[in-house]
C-alpha cells in the first residue's frame, strides 16, 4: 500500500509524503528564517519539529542543524543524517502516526499554509559552478556562435566542460530580474553597442546542491560522488546574449550571466528521486578512468518552460525537455570538479547547463528556439524573439509516478526594466 | 617631520606607521582569530584596542567590527570608518602619544611579535573575480595559445575582460599548493594526457578587496568606485597550463586555476597607497562613458617574484614588474563588474590578472618567461621550464618612498606533490 500523509495532498501535487523536499522559509516578514519540508499545500517547520524533540535518531537528536537560517549545517552532516531525517519525517507525517496528527497545538505551531509564507534561498551558496552537459545545447550554441564547422569542440566529449558562475546574484524564485545593461557585439566596423541588453534569454537548467564536500587537495572518487549530492533544484540561468557574445572570448561568460540566476526554493533529495532513476546515455569515447562509473545514472524529470508575456494573463509552454537529456551525469560533474583538488563546500551549487533535447520543441533557451532571434516564437498570437520587460518565465519539473508525483514546484521570475542611466 | 611610531620600525620595513595594513591573525593555535594591523615586526591586536575603548570616533566607538574573526564587518562600514580607524591607529601608535606607549599592561595584551603568530585569510570571500588587465600579458598569452595573428581579441580594448574564479580554494600565504591532476591537451591524434600537471605555473597578480559593495541591479558609477575598494593584496594565481589549454574553449579557465590561489595576509589600504598614485596609461580607443573616469589612477608598486628551487637555500628573482603596467584601472574594473547590476559584497576579491611589463625581465608567469616551456630559465645554475615539486614561489610588492616604504610583505607558497592515484 502506498504511504499516505494525514495532511491532505491532492493527487496532482508535487509534494506528497514520498517527496518531502527541503527549503527555508519565514512564516511572516519579521520572523526568523528556518528550514522546512513541503507536504501538499503546507510547509512543516523543522525548527518546531526539532524543538518538540521529534528528531529522536542518533545523529539528529542533539543537533541544532534545523535551528539555523539555512540548510548548510544539515547538508554538512551527510547522507546518514539525511536518511535519518527522511525516515523521521515520513513517520511523523504518515496517516497512521498520531504524534503530530493528534497534537493540535504542535500542528498549529509547525504546519503553515504554503501560500501565506515567504520562501528564501535554501542555502548560503559559497561557490556556484555551471556545467555544459547537454550535447544538443552545445551543438546548437556552437553552430550559432562559431558556425557549423565543428560546432562542438573536441574537449567536450572528454570532460564535462564548466565555468565558475557568480554566487552573489543567485536569487530565489519570485524575485524580479532587472534587465542588465552592457556592451553588445558591434556589427561590422561600428563601435560596440551600449545599453540595456536586446537579447535577454532564459536557460532551462537544474542544479545539484552539494553535501559534505571535500578538503582542498583531496578529490572525490566518482563512485562516491553521490554521497556528496543532497538533491536538485530547478534553475533559470538568465543570459544576455549580446553581452555574452562580445565578452566571452577568451575567458568565458561573465556579465552576460552574472546579473541574476534564479533557483526554485525546494531541494528535492536524491532519495526522493531514486524511483525515477534511469540509465545515462552511452558515452563515446569511453571516459577516462576517473570519470568511469560503476553505475551511470540519470533521472526521468519532465521539464517545461512557460512564458507569460507582459500584460497577458495566460502563459504558453515554449519548451518541453527532460533531465535525462544530459550526456554527463551529476556524479561525473562532481568528480571532475574535484579531480584537481578543488574543494567543494556544503551548499555549493553545480548547475547542469541548459537542458536541451533533440527535438525542436525541447530546446532549453530562446537562443536555440529562435535561432538567435531569426525566427520569432508565437505565444498565443504574441511573438517573441527574446524576452521583453514584464515577461514572466516559469520553469516546472516533475517525476510522474503511477501512484504519486515527485515534483520541484516552480522556478519563476519576471523581467523588470533596466535602470535609468 | 615624518610621523614615527614608538614601536621600533627598521627603515627597510614594509610596515611603518604610514602603512598600517589590515589582516587577521591568532596569537596561538587555540586562540580565536581577530583583526590586526602590522607595525614594524609587530602586530597590533584591534580587538584589544577596541576593548580598551581606544576607538573613540563616532563610527567605531560602539561598533563590534573588530571583535570578529574576519574584516568583513569593518569593510562594510565604508571609507568614513576606514579613515576614522586610520586616524586613531596612527595617533595611538605615534611616538608622541602616551596612551599605548606608556601603558605596559595594554601593550603586552595588544602587541604581538609577527614571527610568533599565525596569519589567516583577512576576509570571508563571497566571490572572487579575476581580470586580464595587462596588455603585455594578453598579447603574450594570445600569441602562445592562439598564434601571432591578432593575439589580442578586439573586445580587450573596449572592456576589462574577466572571469569568475573559485572562492573556496583561496588560501593565505604560506599554505602549500598541491600539484593538481587533470586532463592535459592531447598531442596530435592521441587521447588527452591524464595525470599530475606537467606545466605548473605561478601568476604575479594583485587583487582589490571590496568594501561596501552594491545591491543587485544597482551599478556603481566609475567615479564612485574607489569608495568601494578598501585596499590591495598580493596574489599568486597558480595555473596548470596543460589543463587550462585543453579545457578553456569555450567557457574559460576552470580546473587549470581552481586548485589554489594564494593571497598575502596584509591588505594595504588605498589611503596608504595614495602617496604612490600615478597616472594610468592613455586608453585608445576612448572607453565608453560608463568607463570614462575624471581621474584615472594607477599605483607605483614595485613587484618581484622569487623562486627557491626544491632543495636549495637561495632564491632567485625571476621577474621584476610594476602595478602601473596595468591598462585597465581598478575603478574601471569595479564599475564594469557592476554595470549589468551584478552585486559586489564586502570582502569580495577582484584580481588584476597577471601583471606583465613590456620587458623580457618583467613578464609575470613562466608561460611567458619560458615561452610555454621552450626556453628554460636559469636559477643560480638550476633550470626550470615550469615549477617542480618542492619549489617555493614568493611574490613581494613595495612602494619605495624617500622617507619610508609602504609594502605588502610577501605572498608565498611551496609546491607539494600530487596525491597518489
Amino acid at each position: 500500500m502506498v504511504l499516505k500523509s494525514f495532511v491532505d495532498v491532492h493527487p496532482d501535487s508535487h509534494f506528497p509524503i514520498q517527496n518531502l523536499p527541503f527549503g527555508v522559509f519565514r512564516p511572516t516578514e519579521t520572523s526568523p528564517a528556518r528550514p522546512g519540508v513541503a507536504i501538499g499545500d503546507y510547509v512543516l517547520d523543522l525548527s518546531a519539529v526539532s524543538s518538540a524533540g521529534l528528531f529522536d535518531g542518533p545523529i539528529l537528536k542533539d543537533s541544532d542543524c534545523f535551528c539555523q537560517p539555512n540548510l548548510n549545517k544539515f547538508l554538512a552532516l551527510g547522507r546518514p543524517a539525511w536518511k535519518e531525517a527522511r525516515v523521521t519525517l515520513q513517520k511523523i507525517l504518515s496517516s497512521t502516526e498520531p504524534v503530530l496528527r493528534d497534537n493540535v497545538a504542535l500542528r498549529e505551531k509547525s504546519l503553515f499554509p504554503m501560500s501565506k509564507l515567504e520562501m528564501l534561498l535554501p542555502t548560503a551558496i559559497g561557490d556556484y559552478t555551471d556545467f555544459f552537459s547537454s550535447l544538443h545545447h552545445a551543438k546548437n550554441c556552437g553552430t550559432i556562435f562559431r558556425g557549423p564547422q565543428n560546432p562542438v569542440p573536441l574537449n567536450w566529449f572528454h570532460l564535462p566542460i564548466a565555468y565558475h558562475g557568480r554566487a552573489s546574484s543567485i536569487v530565489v524564485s519570485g524575485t524580479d530580474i532587472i534587465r542588465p545593461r552592457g556592451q553588445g557585439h558591434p556589427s561590422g566596423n561600428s563601435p560596440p553597442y551600449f545599453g540595456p541588453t536586446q537579447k535577454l534569454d532564459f536557460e532551462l537548467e537544474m542544479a545539484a546542491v552539494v553535501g559534505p564536500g571535500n578538503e582542498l587537495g583531496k578529490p572525490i572518487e566518482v563512485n562516491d560522488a553521490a554521497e556528496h549530492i543532497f538533491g536538485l533544484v530547478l534553475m533559470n540561468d538568465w543570459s544576455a546574449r549580446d553581452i555574452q557574445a562580445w565578452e566571452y572570448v577568451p575567458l568565458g561568460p561573465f556579465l552576460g550571466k552574472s546579473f541574476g540566476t534564479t533557483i526554485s526554493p525546494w531541494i528535492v533529495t536524491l532519495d526522493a528521486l531514486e524511483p525515477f532513476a534511469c540509465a545515462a546515455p552511452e558515452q563515446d569515447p569511453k571516459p577516462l578512468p576517473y570519470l568511469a562509473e560503476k553505475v551511470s545514472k540519470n533521472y526521468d524529470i519532465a521539464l517545461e518552460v512557460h512564458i507569460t508575456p507582459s500584460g497577458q494573463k495566460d502563459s504558453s509552454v515554449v519548451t518541453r525537455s527532460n533531465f535525462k537529456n544530459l550526456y554527463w551525469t551529476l556524479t561525473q560533474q562532481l568528480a571532475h570538479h574535484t579531480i584537481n583538488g578543488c574543494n567543494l563546500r556544503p551548499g555549493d551549487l553545480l548547475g547542469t547547463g541548459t537542458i536541451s533535447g533533440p527535438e525542436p520543441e525541447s530546446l532549453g533557451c530562446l537562443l536555440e528556439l529562435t535561432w538567435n532571434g531569426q525566427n520569432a516564437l508565437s505565444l498565443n498570437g504574441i511573438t517573441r524573439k527574446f524576452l521583453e520587460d514584464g515577461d514572466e518565465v516559469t520553469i516546472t519539473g516533475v517525476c510522474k509516478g503511477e501512484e504519486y508525483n515527485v515534483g520541484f514546484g516552480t522556478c519563476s521570475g519576471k523581467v523588470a526594466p533596466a535602470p535609468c542611466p
Side-chain angles (χ1 to χ4, degrees), chain A:
Chain A
M1 213 190 76
V2 171
L3 189 64
K4 282 219 175 295
S5 175
F6 69 84
V7 179
D8 205 38
V9 178
H10 191 274
D12 288 338
S13 172
H14 283 196
F15 306 128
I17 192 168
Q18 289 79 7
N19 189 351
L20 301 183
F22 287 74
V24 167
F25 73 104
R26 53 181 166 216
T28 66
E29 251 182 59
T30 53
S31 50
R34 79 270 322 252
V37 294
I39 177 77
D41 296 330
Y42 288 80
V43 175
L44 179 65
D45 180 339
L46 299 185
S47 71
V49 172
S50 181
S51 300
L54 299 186
F55 286 111
D56 54 4
I59 306 172
L60 297 173
K61 197 169 47 180
D62 298 316
S63 171
D64 65 351
C65 68
F66 293 128
C67 304
Q68 305 287 334
N70 57 53
L71 288 163
N72 294 52
K73 197 163 181 180
F74 176 56
L75 298 187
L77 294 176
R79 188 160 304 282
W82 310 338
K83 292 247 186 220
E84 190 179 300
R86 183 170 169 83
V87 167
T88 297
L89 292 168
Q90 284 196 329
K91 191 184 89 185
I92 68 173
L93 283 168
S94 92
S95 57
T96 56
E97 167 63 43
V99 64
L100 181 57
R101 183 192 67 193
D102 297 349
N103 185 334
V104 179
L106 182 57
R107 256 175 28 222
E108 279 182 0
K109 264 204 304 211
S110 64
L111 274 169
F112 296 90
M114 203 183 281
S115 61
K116 294 200 177 147
L117 48 81
E118 183 188 2
M119 295 305 299
L120 304 167
L121 282 179
T123 68
I125 301 164
D127 278 289
Y128 149 49
T129 302
D130 203 13
F131 284 84
F132 190 51
S133 291
S134 151
L135 179 56
H136 313 290
H137 177 65
K139 203 177 277 175
N140 292 327
C141 289
T143 307
I144 291 167
F145 279 131
R146 288 180 299 279
Q149 301 79 22
N150 303 316
V152 184
L154 187 61
N155 59 5
W156 194 93
F157 295 95
H158 291 273
L159 53 86
I161 296 280
Y163 71 101
H164 306 293
R166 180 81 193 173
S168 70
S169 53
I170 297 173
V171 297
V172 72
S173 177
T175 309
D176 280 357
I177 295 295
I178 299 169
R179 180 180 296 273
R181 293 181 299 156
Q183 296 191 28
H185 210 297
S187 39
N189 287 325
S190 61
Y193 163 82
F194 178 79
T197 175
Q198 297 177 339
K199 292 188 173 180
L200 185 61
D201 201 354
F202 65 83
E203 286 194 326
L204 165 59
E205 300 201 18
M206 297 192 75
V209 178
V210 172
N214 59 312
E215 266 177 67
L216 190 57
K218 301 201 172 159
I220 294 171
E221 218 269 311
V222 68
N223 293 305
D224 297 334
E227 298 303 300
H228 294 272
I229 300 173
F230 177 63
L232 295 178
V233 292
L234 302 170
M235 187 166 100
N236 184 343
D237 182 27
W238 304 87
S239 300
R241 300 304 185 183
D242 41 3
I243 297 174
Q244 185 186 350
W246 175 230
E247 74 179 356
Y248 90 105
V249 174
L251 299 186
F254 182 52
L255 300 189
K257 302 279 192 175
S258 62
F259 57 92
T261 307
T262 307
I263 63 172
S264 61
W266 295 112
I267 309 172
V268 177
T269 63
L270 289 199
D271 287 327
L273 292 171
E274 188 54 32
F276 306 94
C278 58
E282 277 290 303
Q283 295 179 331
D284 179 25
K286 286 280 162 244
L288 279 162
Y290 82 94
L291 293 174
E293 317 187 77
K294 286 184 191 140
V295 180
S296 207
K297 208 185 264 185
N298 259 358
Y299 298 96
D300 183 0
I301 307 170
L303 299 166
E304 284 185 357
V305 180
H306 302 243
I307 295 180
T308 310
S310 178
Q312 303 293 306
K313 274 190 184 156
D314 297 329
S315 70
S316 301
V317 178
V318 296
T319 200
R320 288 192 173 86
S321 187
N322 194 300
F323 184 85
K324 68 184 175 188
N325 284 319
L326 294 173
Y327 181 91
W328 294 104
T329 65
L330 295 174
T331 37
Q332 288 177 319
Q333 292 171 12
L334 190 138
H336 180 65
H337 203 318
T338 66
I339 186 63
N340 71 340
C342 180
N343 54 331
L344 303 179
R345 295 177 294 189
D348 282 354
L349 211 61
L350 309 185
T352 57
T354 304
I355 306 175
S356 294
E359 305 87 12
E361 307 79 33
S362 65
L363 303 174
C365 59
L366 291 172
L367 180 77
E368 293 172 81
L369 286 163
T370 71
W371 212 251
N372 200 14
Q374 284 182 48
N375 317 309
L377 212 63
S378 174
L379 313 171
N380 285 329
I382 290 167
T383 59
R384 285 290 183 272
K385 291 179 170 177
F386 287 99
L387 296 170
E388 300 195 358
D389 292 348
D391 287 355
E392 186 171 31
V393 179
T394 300
I395 299 175
T396 64
V398 63
C399 306
K400 290 255 177 203
E402 288 186 12
E403 309 265 14
Y404 60 85
N405 302 325
V406 165
F408 288 79
T410 59
C411 171
S412 67
K414 191 185 268 196
V415 179
C420 298

